[in-house]
Amino acid sequence: MAGATIAVASDHAGFDLKEILKRDLQEAGLEVLDLGTHSTASVDYPDFGRAMAETIAAGKVEKGVIVCGTGIGISIAANRNPKVRAALVHDVTSARLTREHNDANVIAFGQRMIGTEVAREALKVFLKTPFEGGRHDNRVAKLAKG
């Protein structure tokens, strides 16, 4: 995955974790497209979920990372686009399974809900885990139909 570009986005409540994960991605040799926010000043999470969805749908990146306070709002916003399969994860197992079974292309975290080290490990697993395909292909195709 080295050399690939990963998009990151957050609202103010997810800014600190986004910055940590962004640094990890860069240190792993990945290019990072930061869609904002760029501070802890209050902003609206739907704007950043939508920015991620538009970036994925336009084919600018294949995968993304989104963060808000709980991870719920920003993932709902991103998932409104049928090209996005954003999964809110809370541990390494959910990060692995959402790639294997759902072919998720965006991982979502809640900064107030997950420990930093758990999020860092979950992101590593998310990025290295392939989609299994097979029995999951038809299910994932149905997701794109809305």
Side-chain angles (χ1 to χ4, degrees):
M1 206 109 198
T5 301
I6 306 293
V8 298
S10 74
D11 70 354
H12 59 283
F15 174 75
D16 293 332
L17 181 57
K18 179 195 73 152
E19 291 297 304
I20 291 166
L21 298 175
K22 179 171 100 172
R23 185 176 59 243
D24 286 353
L25 293 167
Q26 291 167 329
E27 289 175 1
L30 299 166
E31 295 292 322
V32 175
L33 175 59
D34 190 338
L35 304 173
T37 195
H38 301 290
S39 76
T40 57
S42 184
V43 294
D44 298 327
Y45 62 81
D47 298 334
F48 298 94
R50 185 176 307 107
M52 178 61 72
E54 290 170 355
T55 300
I56 294 281
K60 294 179 183 175
V61 299
E62 290 184 14
K63 290 193 174 66
V65 179
I66 51 178
V67 189
C68 70
T70 63
I72 298 168
I74 201 165
S75 62
I76 290 170
N79 277 321
R80 294 183 64 80
N81 187 307
K83 298 280 187 182
V84 174
R85 291 175 306 283
L88 174 57
V89 304
H90 294 97
D91 53 35
V92 170
T93 301
S94 56
R96 178 179 54 79
L97 289 172
T98 198
R99 285 289 308 130
E100 289 177 350
H101 295 190
N102 311 117
D103 197 21
N105 52 10
V106 176
I107 189 169
F109 296 106
Q111 181 174 307
R112 297 175 182 148
M113 310 302 288
I114 192 169
T116 301
E117 293 308 312
V118 174
R120 293 172 82 192
E121 287 303 311
L123 178 56
K124 287 178 192 174
V125 168
F126 178 84
L127 293 175
K128 75 177 186 178
T129 302
F131 175 51
E132 281 184 0
R135 72 182 196 271
H136 305 291
D137 284 329
N138 188 48
R139 297 167 186 160
V140 171
K142 286 181 177 183
L143 293 172
K145 292 179 184 175

